[in-house]
Amino acid sequence: MIIEKPFGRDLDSAKALNQQLLKVATESQIYRIDHYLGKETVQNILAFRFANGIFEPIWNRRYIDHIQISVAETVGVEQRGGYYETAGALRDMVPNHIMQLISLTGMEPPISFHANDVRDEQAKILHAIQPLTAEEVLSRTVRGQYGAGAIDRQQVPGYRSESNVSSDSRTETFVAVKLQIDNWRWAGVPFYFRTGKRMPVRNTQIVIQFRRAPFVLFRDTSVDNLLPNQLVLHIQPEEGISLRFAAKTPGPIMRLGTVDMDFNYSDYFGNQVTTGYERLLHDCMVGDATLFQRADMVEAGWSVVSPILDVWKALPPRSFPNYAAGTWGPKDAEALLENDGRHWRDYEK
């Protein structure tokens, strides 16, 4: 049984759906499919982390300052207004896409790459995410809805003008959230994520930002700022990995420049255009469930989302639409990081 997301509308409906499915099939026969996990770069997160001895030792709270995950789309709701009105960005993206990326980025090494060994570790991370209180929902989450604007210099309508969308819709098309994972590896390291429609570019990436080096060595030089190192996992549309580090610029004065070392999948392995579904459907046929959510993982994801849904339902938005199409969402999304002295990584088109 292959089931497309979203799996339920909230925690209670996800639990009920799991119980109904288990009456007619075993867990090993159920494949909750998410095409993101069929992408090579997503699968490569595990290989990159656990096959390279230089990264896993520093993949923890001692060396990493924070992690940010961005899933940006240039498209609006297209012809899916009827569906999107009942779902919204939070339900549509977070319990599945975003939670999968968080779990793969944050999980402990599995004892093997067998399906349940990998998913056991993913489930532990999802259970370790601290649920937000009502007060924290107000300070650590941002929701938005796009208005009219321009994408690639072409004027596009606002969400409320889309087909099958209410003229006074309160459905969010943008979400940004700050989460904390309460375990030994990640205690004190915030995980920020944002996802939205009608963004300036289509791009999905995971940014690992390391702690800033001590400035004391450079205090008597012309260097006035040390940029932190960043490791960026590019999921789509370009698949690859880049590492940002500092290097001295040529000349007699100590000045630092930023260098990006880039790896692109297409340069090394050629172009293989896939949607992700091809790999996943093949895995279903051969009985490999590694890249599919298990029942407990689905419920753990909804446990994180449910408190946000409850507060947002009780306090409807008053300022929609609050960002123009072709921009990076509401200003409050920038403030979510700026209040912590951090910034979203800039995209390059």
Side-chain angles (χ1 to χ4, degrees):
M1 299 176 65
I2 303 174
I3 301 176
E4 179 63 279
K5 63 94 177 170
F7 193 89
R9 284 185 47 80
D10 50 28
L11 179 59
D12 290 339
S13 61
K15 286 181 176 179
L17 184 53
N18 278 328
Q19 293 169 359
Q20 293 171 5
L21 290 173
L22 291 173
K23 292 179 181 178
V24 296
T26 64
E27 179 62 36
S28 63
Q29 295 174 302
I30 302 170
Y31 293 80
R32 301 166 186 84
I33 196 168
D34 182 345
H35 74 279
Y36 262 48
L37 294 201
K39 295 184 179 298
E40 288 293 341
T41 318
V42 175
Q43 298 169 45
N44 195 52
I45 295 173
L46 297 182
F48 179 79
R49 286 187 55 191
F50 302 130
N52 295 293
I54 63 174
F55 290 110
E56 182 54 27
I58 60 173
W59 208 268
N60 55 58
R61 58 188 169 87
R62 183 175 179 183
Y63 299 100
I64 293 176
D65 178 77
H66 73 278
I67 292 174
Q68 39 180 284
I69 297 173
S70 296
V71 181
E73 300 178 289
T74 55
V75 297
V77 294
E78 305 298 295
Q79 303 303 314
R80 301 167 68 229
Y83 157 73
Y84 212 83
E85 275 288 85
T86 63
L90 187 64
R91 286 188 173 97
D92 186 50
M93 296 293 289
V94 177
N96 34 73
H97 293 346
I98 301 292
M99 289 300 157
Q100 289 293 295
L101 295 178
I102 289 175
S103 66
L104 290 170
T105 304
M107 64 186 281
E108 296 295 323
I111 60 174
S112 78
F113 280 114
H114 293 151
N116 276 331
D117 292 336
V118 173
R119 296 191 296 178
D120 283 346
E121 298 302 332
Q122 288 182 270
K124 289 178 184 177
I125 281 292
L126 296 177
H127 285 295
I129 296 175
Q130 298 176 3
L132 298 178
T133 64
E135 292 76 14
E136 288 171 337
V137 170
L138 297 177
S139 62
R140 296 186 185 181
T141 70
V142 177
R143 52 181 159 170
Q145 184 189 93
Y146 66 84
I151 303 286
D152 290 330
R153 300 182 180 179
Q154 299 292 321
Q155 292 298 312
V156 295
Y159 176 73
R160 293 179 175 180
S161 299
E162 301 277 14
S163 177
N164 297 318
V165 172
S166 172
S167 60
D168 60 350
S169 174
R170 296 176 175 178
T171 301
E172 78 283 352
T173 61
F174 176 95
V175 177
V177 178
K178 173 185 176 182
L179 295 175
Q180 297 280 355
I181 295 179
D182 190 15
N183 67 5
W184 187 265
R185 182 184 291 261
W186 298 115
V189 178
F191 279 63
Y192 303 95
F193 68 79
R194 62 178 174 178
T195 180
K197 292 190 175 295
R198 291 300 189 196
M199 302 280 100
V201 296
R202 173 176 175 260
N203 206 322
T204 298
Q205 62 183 13
I206 302 171
V207 178
I208 315 297
Q209 181 152 313
F210 294 93
R211 295 190 181 277
R212 198 183 308 270
F215 184 76
V216 60
L217 178 65
F218 299 91
R219 66 183 181 276
D220 294 326
T221 72
S222 60
V223 176
D224 58 4
N225 187 32
L226 291 176
L227 292 176
N229 301 119
Q230 284 186 344
L231 178 69
V232 184
L233 308 178
H234 303 278
I235 309 298
Q236 67 176 13
E238 301 296 330
E239 297 186 338
I241 300 169
S242 62
L243 177 65
R244 184 179 78 182
F245 58 91
K248 181 184 177 298
T249 58
I253 301 175
M254 173 58 74
R255 290 193 177 96
L256 297 179
T258 299
V259 179
D260 285 320
M261 188 160 52
D262 297 317
F263 154 67
N264 294 314
Y265 269 88
S266 58
D267 293 341
Y268 285 82
F269 304 117
N271 286 314
Q272 296 182 347
V273 180
T274 67
T275 63
Y277 281 110
E278 299 89 337
R279 164 68 189 276
L280 296 175
L281 292 174
H282 173 266
D283 286 355
C284 292
M285 296 175 190
V286 299
D288 184 353
T290 305
L291 299 177
F292 298 85
Q293 284 188 298
R294 210 167 52 190
D296 58 334
M297 295 168 63
V298 171
E299 293 176 11
W302 277 115
S303 295
V304 176
V305 171
S306 287
I308 304 174
L309 287 172
D310 291 342
V311 173
W312 285 4
K313 182 179 180 181
L315 299 172
R318 298 178 180 177
S319 59
F320 279 5
N322 58 356
Y323 72 96
T327 65
W328 285 112
K331 292 183 178 179
D332 287 345
E334 300 294 335
L336 187 66
L337 271 71
E338 290 174 356
N339 292 339
D340 295 336
R342 303 181 174 103
H343 302 276
W344 292 106
R345 181 181 187 271
D346 290 335
Y347 282 83
E348 292 183 2
K349 195 162 184 179

